[in-house]
Amino acid sequence: MEKKLPTIKEIARRLNISASTVSRALHDHPSIGLRTKMAVKKLAAELNYEPNQTAIFFKQRKTFTIGLVLPNLREEFFSAAINGIEDVALDHNYIVLIGQSHDDLAREQKLVETMKNHRVDGILASISSSTTHIEHFEQMKNYDIPVVFFDRVPDAKDIHSVSCNLYDSSVEAVEWLIRNGHKRIGYLQGPPTLNMKHERLDGYMEAHKKHKLPVDESLIVSTNLSVEGTRSAVDALLQLKKRPTAILSFNDYVTLDAIQYARQKKLAINKDICFVSYANVPVTQYVEFPPLASVEQFPYDQGVSATELLFRLIDKKVAGQESPYENIVLKSELIIR
């Protein structure tokens, strides 16, 4: 027969005390004497007693678990964000359930539903490149599960979010290229769903305006973030009669794909064509031709800020308090290599 797990009632029966006394002794309640506490804890250890977590969760109205939905774990950017998230979670005695959407909306929806069914106390999310609406996240309000978006933040009202200011750094990046003699600067943007705030594009346009340079719409192309999509977008730029001498690219991974394609077309990187990017991921330090500059978006800090915000929302939820929507914007920084 399968051996039954020891319970508080079993400890109470053996010591001839009440179950409530055992519970208070195990939690070091000041109303319980030292001798009783020691007897209870000694017997509990001998019986290999473990607290009923379900009962504890029910009493405290918490499962001490948060969900994390992000595009993928391959990118160093999100790995750094996870480090920040887990550091804060550990400080709060929480564990993190991680799910990858792989930039697929249906998969993202399934992950959110699964985390809801596991009764997570809150969800952190960086949306997929194919996410066209956030109804699946908004539904979490019906279950008192707060959601905080970070980095890839939807363009929606009434949400909690943490992101980086990419407008100012985009202006700075393009101005740096202009000061270095570039007049025709391409802009390789991401999918429309990830450009909802258009900070990068707005910064690109503003820098041209400040330096009285006309914006050639043919220099603005898009990639779906796949290798093929990036190659196609770069090819469109290289086919122009007056091709760009520099390209501002969506992120470092897209830039590395673009550089590889440009090299295949026999272009000398940082001579015939230059690249400036976003994310400043460490791996670019070890490639032969990294982007000349990259915008640091501080993924660790974003992860920390988003998780701290989520825990504030969880605490207010348990206390029955209202939580006004917060949109935290961190400063980014152009890193010149």
Side-chain angles (χ1 to χ4, degrees):
M1 291 180 61
E2 184 179 346
K3 186 177 180 180
K4 290 186 177 180
L5 294 174
T7 65
I8 283 180
K9 289 183 179 180
E10 172 67 11
I11 297 173
R13 184 185 64 79
R14 293 198 184 195
L15 295 176
N16 197 28
I17 58 178
S18 69
S20 60
T21 298
V22 172
S23 177
R24 288 195 291 268
L26 289 170
H27 289 88
D28 287 318
H29 196 280
S31 66
I32 306 301
L34 178 60
R35 183 176 298 178
T36 301
K37 288 180 183 179
M38 292 177 65
V40 168
K41 292 182 179 181
K42 181 175 181 294
L43 181 56
E46 291 173 355
L47 296 176
N48 293 318
Y49 167 77
E50 292 184 2
N52 185 330
Q53 293 298 326
T54 301
I56 294 173
F57 295 160
F58 180 78
K59 184 178 180 180
Q60 298 189 8
R61 297 177 62 194
K62 294 180 181 180
T63 62
F64 294 93
T65 305
I66 57 174
L68 171 59
V69 180
L70 40 72
N72 63 71
L73 296 174
R74 293 177 317 210
E75 294 189 15
E76 289 182 83
F77 181 92
F78 290 114
S79 295
I82 290 172
N83 288 338
I85 290 166
E86 290 190 322
D87 283 350
V88 177
L90 184 63
D91 287 342
H92 287 76
N93 296 316
Y94 266 71
I95 62 171
V96 184
L97 293 180
I98 302 174
Q100 303 178 77
S101 68
H102 293 292
D103 280 323
D104 180 78
L105 174 58
R107 186 162 180 158
E108 182 179 88
Q109 292 170 322
K110 180 64 175 178
L111 286 170
V112 173
E113 177 71 12
T114 300
M115 289 178 178
K116 182 262 292 182
N117 292 338
H118 277 77
R119 298 293 189 267
V120 296
D121 291 334
I123 294 175
L124 296 166
S126 191
I127 64 173
S128 78
S129 60
S130 61
T131 298
T132 54
H133 64 84
I134 58 169
E135 291 176 8
H136 46 303
F137 289 110
E138 291 177 334
Q139 288 174 1
M140 294 303 100
K141 296 176 184 177
N142 300 328
Y143 302 94
D144 287 330
I145 299 176
V147 177
V148 174
F149 297 98
F150 72 97
D151 184 52
R152 294 187 181 184
V153 175
D155 187 15
K157 296 180 179 179
D158 298 338
I159 64 171
H160 300 281
S161 68
V162 174
S163 60
C164 259
N165 176 357
L166 298 181
Y167 173 81
D168 291 340
S169 53
S170 295
V171 173
E172 186 181 358
V174 176
E175 287 193 306
W176 182 79
L177 286 170
I178 293 172
R179 287 196 301 271
N180 280 273
H182 299 281
K183 304 301 181 188
R184 286 186 62 77
I185 302 168
Y187 173 49
L188 178 53
Q189 60 185 351
T193 50
L194 297 183
N195 287 305
M196 287 169 282
K197 290 189 176 180
H198 302 292
E199 286 184 304
R200 294 174 173 90
L201 179 58
D202 288 347
Y204 171 88
M205 303 286 279
E206 176 61 22
H208 280 73
K209 180 180 178 181
K210 287 175 65 176
H211 290 264
K212 296 181 172 55
L213 291 176
V215 174
D216 183 346
E217 296 288 341
S218 67
L219 289 173
I220 302 173
V221 294
S222 300
T223 174
N224 61 3
L225 306 185
S226 69
V227 175
E228 296 75 16
T230 298
R231 285 170 173 260
S232 177
V234 174
D235 188 65
L237 292 175
L238 298 184
Q239 293 294 330
L240 293 173
K241 187 173 181 180
K242 292 182 64 178
R243 68 188 183 199
T245 59
I247 296 176
L248 178 66
S249 183
F250 181 76
N251 65 30
D252 286 335
Y253 296 101
V254 168
T255 300
L256 294 178
D257 289 335
I259 288 174
Q260 184 182 52
Y261 184 72
R263 292 185 66 195
Q264 290 175 2
K265 292 298 180 178
K266 309 303 181 184
L267 293 179
I269 305 302
N270 300 333
K271 184 177 180 182
D272 296 330
I273 193 164
C274 300
F275 290 86
V276 170
S277 185
Y278 296 85
N280 191 40
V281 295
V283 70
T284 56
Q285 300 176 38
Y286 305 104
V287 297
E288 186 178 1
F289 297 103
L292 289 179
S294 188
V295 174
E296 174 61 68
Q297 296 173 246
F298 303 103
Y300 181 89
D301 295 343
Q302 285 198 55
V304 167
S305 295
T307 312
E308 289 176 341
L309 172 55
L310 184 62
F311 281 129
R312 291 198 296 274
L313 298 176
I314 291 171
D315 289 341
K316 288 184 178 180
K317 176 189 71 173
V318 173
Q321 300 174 357
E322 292 293 324
S323 301
Y325 291 103
E326 291 188 54
N327 301 111
I328 300 171
V329 180
L330 305 181
K331 183 177 175 59
S332 58
E333 180 182 355
L334 180 66
I335 305 298
I336 310 297
R337 295 196 174 96

